[in-house]
Amino acid sequence: MFSSDDGLCGIGELAERARVSVKTVRFYSDNGLLPEASRSAGGHRRYGPDSLERLRMIRSLRTLDLPVPTVRRILDEGDTAGRAGGALEDAVAGQLRVLGSQLTAMRWREAALRSVQECPAAERPGRLALIGALTTPPDTAPLARFWRAWLPARMPARAVTAFLEAAVPQPPEDPEPVQVIAFAGLCALVSRPCEGNEVTQPHAHEAAGARESAVLYAGLAEAYDLAGAEMRRGREPYAGDALDGFVDAYASVHRTADTGAFRSGLALRLAADPRIDRYWELTSELVGRPSGRSEPTPGSAHDWLLAALNAQLAKAPPARDAP
């Protein structure tokens, strides 16, 4: 209770009880966060009994770095309890997202600085040029644009999304210097994907239209997952379910049976396809585990399956099937 007979207090007493400056109280009043109960005959601000608790709540919310409009909305809704879906919960969640992004950016800057510090002096100019083009936190939009240009036009949106989820690696929140260099290398690579600045589709995919490509990439994704599981177990390439699914994905697009002749022709086409091995090498470095063991990527899984196909064909008698 305030010291005055009418239960109200002036701005000085309120500031003193809340342990803030008079300037702070005036600022919150002027911005509509702390309504005045009345004005004295001399025009001085007077505040009611609930003003002290409200002022303390304002200070608590501002300590969380919430902007004034957000604090006003929380107070107006009476949502200081933080009910699910309320203004306070939404504001806190938003601040956590912002803070998380800032922390990630700081970790990436630290790792970038360490990558420069740890490299030989003669390599530092090139290292600086490479990482200088990076944004922090890292942005995967350039990688997504590269693959969107690579995919067939008018491919179903759901299929495009699924493909991008597999092909675009997500940068770690707390990277090592080698991962910063790998991501910078990826961004540099996709900015100049091929000679003539063209993006080339594999020859084995040329028969597929937009919808057929969706079927092809879905089948390949399943085969890559199966092959990745075998690679994590340390298995050498072999003919099994992963290879069967891999070949079947191509056979379904070409509307043909999975025969020995088809497998022979497919192996030749795949061997002659344009390659972006460097993309997948950098991706493996980016998503690699702290233990140093390489994590399978779609590119390395593709190579494992092609090796399995060639190994199978090397053991098989000459195919007599009609092509």
Side-chain angles (χ1 to χ4, degrees):
M1 180 66 65
F2 298 130
S3 58
S4 62
D5 295 336
D6 60 2
L8 303 180
C9 77
I11 192 170
E13 182 180 353
L14 180 60
E16 182 179 358
R17 286 177 175 254
R19 297 183 179 179
V20 299
S21 68
V22 170
K23 183 179 179 180
T24 296
V25 178
R26 186 177 292 113
F27 173 81
Y28 292 147
S29 293
D30 291 344
N31 281 275
L33 299 181
L34 191 63
E36 305 163 16
S38 65
R39 291 264 179 154
S40 68
H44 300 293
R45 305 169 195 248
R46 304 286 288 171
Y47 296 92
D50 60 342
S51 296
L52 181 57
E53 181 180 350
R54 185 178 177 92
L55 178 55
R56 286 170 174 165
M57 180 57 64
I58 292 169
R59 292 293 297 157
S60 296
L61 293 171
R62 290 288 287 161
T63 299
L64 297 176
D65 205 26
L66 298 177
V68 168
T70 300
V71 173
R72 183 185 301 112
R73 185 165 62 252
I74 293 170
L75 294 172
D76 289 346
E77 292 184 8
D79 187 32
T80 55
R83 59 185 172 80
L88 177 60
E89 181 176 291
D90 292 344
V92 170
Q95 285 297 97
L96 285 172
R97 287 193 296 272
V98 171
L99 183 59
S101 180
Q102 292 172 344
L103 289 172
T104 298
M106 291 178 66
R107 294 186 187 109
W108 272 76
R109 284 197 291 269
E110 180 189 17
L113 288 169
R114 285 197 285 124
S115 75
V116 174
Q117 183 183 53
E118 295 168 3
C119 77
E123 298 177 13
R124 285 178 181 170
R127 180 69 55 86
L128 285 169
L130 183 63
I131 65 175
L134 280 182
T135 60
T136 52
D139 184 8
T140 59
L143 309 184
R145 284 195 297 270
F146 168 79
W147 287 113
R148 286 183 184 277
W150 187 87
L151 291 169
R154 296 182 298 280
M155 189 168 158
R158 182 178 298 178
V160 172
T161 298
F163 181 92
L164 293 178
E165 287 178 353
V168 176
Q170 293 306 306
E173 293 185 355
D174 190 5
E176 295 294 327
V178 66
Q179 292 173 305
V180 173
I181 298 306
F183 187 74
L186 279 172
C187 292
L189 179 68
V190 299
S191 69
R192 52 178 191 283
C194 301
E195 291 185 9
N197 204 32
E198 297 177 354
V199 180
T200 306
Q201 271 274 333
H203 302 311
H205 297 192
E206 290 174 353
R211 295 197 176 278
E212 290 84 358
S213 292
V215 175
L216 171 62
Y217 295 134
L220 291 178
E222 292 182 9
Y224 294 158
D225 285 343
L226 292 173
E230 297 300 318
M231 294 168 70
R232 292 184 187 94
R233 297 187 187 102
R235 295 289 301 272
E236 293 296 322
Y238 74 99
D241 291 342
L243 179 60
D244 290 343
F246 180 67
V247 174
D248 184 66
Y250 286 104
S252 63
V253 169
H254 288 269
R255 295 183 174 85
T256 187
D258 177 5
T259 65
F262 176 77
R263 292 198 174 206
S264 296
L266 177 62
L268 293 174
R269 286 194 297 274
L270 292 176
D273 270 343
R275 307 287 297 174
I276 48 174
D277 292 335
R278 185 57 180 157
Y279 181 95
W280 298 116
E281 290 170 3
L282 291 168
T283 296
S284 181
E285 293 176 15
L286 179 64
V287 301
R289 299 183 180 183
S291 63
R293 188 176 67 179
S294 297
E295 182 68 10
T297 66
S300 61
H302 182 93
D303 291 343
W304 190 94
L305 289 162
L306 181 55
L309 177 59
N310 287 325
Q312 182 189 50
L313 293 172
K315 296 177 181 178
R320 298 180 180 180
D321 311 71

